[in-house]
Amino acid sequence: MCQHCKDSSAPNPSHFEEGDGLANSPAHKEMAWSEYNELIQGMRFFDPHIHMVSRTTDDYQAMRQAGIVALIEPSFWVGQPRTGLSSFKDYYSSLVGWERFRSSQFGIKHYCTMGLNSREANNEPLAEQVMEILPLYIYKEGVVGIGEIGFDDQTPAEEKYYRLQLELAKEAKLPVQIHTPHRDKKRGTERSMAIALEHGLDPSWVIIDHNNEETVKSVLDQGFYAAFTIYPFTKMGNERMVKVVEQYGPERIMVNSAADWGISDPLALPKTAALMKMRGISDEAIRLVTYQNAIDAFGKSGQIDVSDFEGGLSVEKTEKFHGNSILRGGQQPDVSKDSLVIQ
């Protein structure tokens, strides 16, 4: 157990592992997130992996209220294969355009990583076209890395475009955000790291994402950053995350939500911080895994200035992006969600 931590039997404010008796306990049913939220008042969070194009304005508001001040949105697939290059262009443009603006309107600094995701790397004719346009986007303001790239089914095509994008990251001097496969994860993770090292990347510039207990030791031992996704009932639960931090400490570990169009939780990061606090993990360790380590890793891009968000973003909701606003018609900038009547 790391020196920052001690055991506790407190219930989980996010969700429970299958078969956990706490999941059905009266205390868990009665306690709302708002009660746990008090534990982390005043803390700041940086979510280094969340897909906000899939989320709502309510999510943005809840995230800011929970202390999330900055985020990174990795480029990924949209749930179905894209059919042409124009759809990639529009998507990449939205990550450095409208979505960054939309995030700022809720007081959250938005960054992104750019890349060809592993699923769509298997459409080689389209993948070749995407590789030609990627250099047009990776040097834009707010792009903090190449990602998320790597393996899904671990096909030859996925490896081909993974290698090409590692070389692109080296050329652009950008960190790399690696997606590890859901199936055969350990082999895929080891393969991803071996190829990155083969291409001469400094492991401290590489973030290995979607880790679990099976992969974390090797990732840390080889000098990479280990990112963990708190995703309900699939990737990692936050009780397991607490145990990882207790065992390995906070160095080069970061927590994210990877919230997307699936059943996911954009508040997974602050909820995990609250659980860590309940379990006796120090505030400094919590700060590292939920804020500082992400800044240190992706800050190598030269794009992150903490003064942009540490004191809070100034928000003017009447601002427009290409003539468009988050407001509609005569809508007021602040709408009460507590009122029964919607005007």
Side-chain angles (χ1 to χ4, degrees):
M1 182 180 297
C2 83
Q3 61 181 350
H4 301 278
C5 315
K6 64 182 180 181
D7 287 330
S8 170
S9 58
N12 184 336
S14 176
H15 65 274
F16 292 82
E17 302 306 314
E18 184 176 353
D20 190 335
L22 289 172
N24 297 312
S25 70
H28 174 258
K29 289 182 178 179
E30 292 172 5
M31 295 187 73
W33 160 236
S34 59
E35 297 177 63
Y36 293 102
N37 193 17
E38 295 177 2
L39 295 170
I40 56 171
Q41 288 297 313
M43 290 186 177
R44 290 188 295 260
F45 304 109
F46 190 123
D47 192 334
H49 188 145
I50 185 167
H51 301 288
M52 293 309 298
V53 295
S54 308
R55 309 306 303 194
T56 67
T57 56
D58 283 358
D59 291 331
Y60 267 125
Q61 288 175 327
M63 290 164 61
R64 187 63 189 91
Q65 289 168 3
I68 295 174
V69 297
L71 60 85
I72 295 172
E73 180 157 6
S75 56
F76 80 141
W77 80 306
V78 294
Q80 65 183 38
R82 295 176 177 90
T83 57
L85 184 62
S86 293
S87 57
F88 274 98
K89 289 180 177 179
D90 291 341
Y91 172 65
Y92 292 151
S93 295
S94 73
L95 293 183
V96 295
W98 170 252
E99 200 57 45
R100 179 179 303 160
F101 170 77
R102 192 167 77 107
S103 182
S104 72
Q105 295 299 280
F106 295 93
I108 299 175
K109 183 70 176 179
H110 182 287
Y111 304 96
C112 67
T113 58
M114 290 285 183
L116 171 64
N117 69 85
S118 53
R119 278 180 178 262
E120 291 175 299
N122 290 296
N123 180 347
E124 291 201 61
L126 184 54
E128 287 294 331
Q129 298 177 60
V130 173
M131 289 302 301
E132 290 182 8
I133 67 166
L134 266 180
L136 301 177
Y137 294 93
I138 63 173
Y139 296 102
K140 290 185 178 293
E141 180 185 352
V143 178
V144 297
I146 302 296
E148 57 182 304
I149 64 174
F151 289 112
D152 182 50
D153 287 326
Q154 303 190 52
T155 65
E158 291 172 12
E159 179 171 337
K160 172 185 176 181
Y161 293 104
Y162 173 50
R163 289 180 179 274
L164 287 172
Q165 290 181 93
L166 291 178
E167 287 300 315
L168 189 60
K170 285 174 58 179
E171 180 181 330
K173 295 182 174 58
L174 286 173
V176 179
Q177 187 174 35
I178 294 179
H179 168 92
T180 55
H182 305 298
R183 299 168 296 279
D184 201 3
K185 180 175 287 288
K186 185 174 183 180
R187 183 173 73 91
T189 302
E190 292 295 337
R191 187 177 175 190
S192 299
M193 293 189 293
I195 291 173
L197 294 173
E198 179 186 329
H199 279 260
L201 272 77
D202 182 337
S204 70
W205 283 63
V206 179
I207 299 89
I208 307 294
D209 215 336
H210 312 316
N211 280 277
N212 60 23
E213 297 89 342
E214 189 179 36
T215 61
V216 57
K217 185 177 187 303
S218 181
V219 170
L220 293 174
D221 285 349
Q222 295 185 64
F224 295 89
Y225 276 90
F228 290 82
T229 295
I230 310 302
Y231 202 100
F233 308 109
T234 56
K235 295 182 176 74
M236 281 282 289
N238 57 3
E239 288 205 313
R240 289 165 59 194
M241 188 68 240
V242 171
K243 292 176 181 177
V244 167
V245 175
E246 287 175 340
Q247 181 174 353
Y248 293 98
E251 300 302 324
R252 280 184 291 112
I253 286 177
M254 65 182 76
V255 181
N256 65 60
S257 68
D260 55 14
W261 32 254
I263 298 172
S264 48
D265 190 345
L267 299 184
L269 186 60
K271 288 180 178 180
T272 301
L275 184 61
M276 289 181 178
K277 182 80 170 176
M278 292 170 65
R279 295 295 167 86
I281 293 179
S282 72
D283 286 359
E284 176 59 14
I286 295 172
R287 188 185 73 86
L288 288 173
V289 301
T290 64
Y291 183 76
Q292 191 60 49
N293 288 347
I295 294 171
D296 291 344
F298 289 99
K300 293 180 173 68
S301 65
Q303 291 279 349
I304 297 178
D305 183 348
V306 294
S307 66
D308 288 341
F309 51 82
E310 274 196 331
L313 292 180
S314 59
V315 178
E316 177 48 70
K317 290 186 179 179
T318 58
E319 289 182 355
K320 293 185 178 182
F321 178 83
H322 288 195
N324 191 20
S325 166
I326 63 169
L327 305 177
R328 289 290 176 268
Q331 203 173 41
Q332 295 302 306
D334 294 299
V335 177
S336 173
K337 297 294 178 64
D338 297 325
S339 175
L340 173 65
V341 177
I342 302 174
Q343 299 185 6

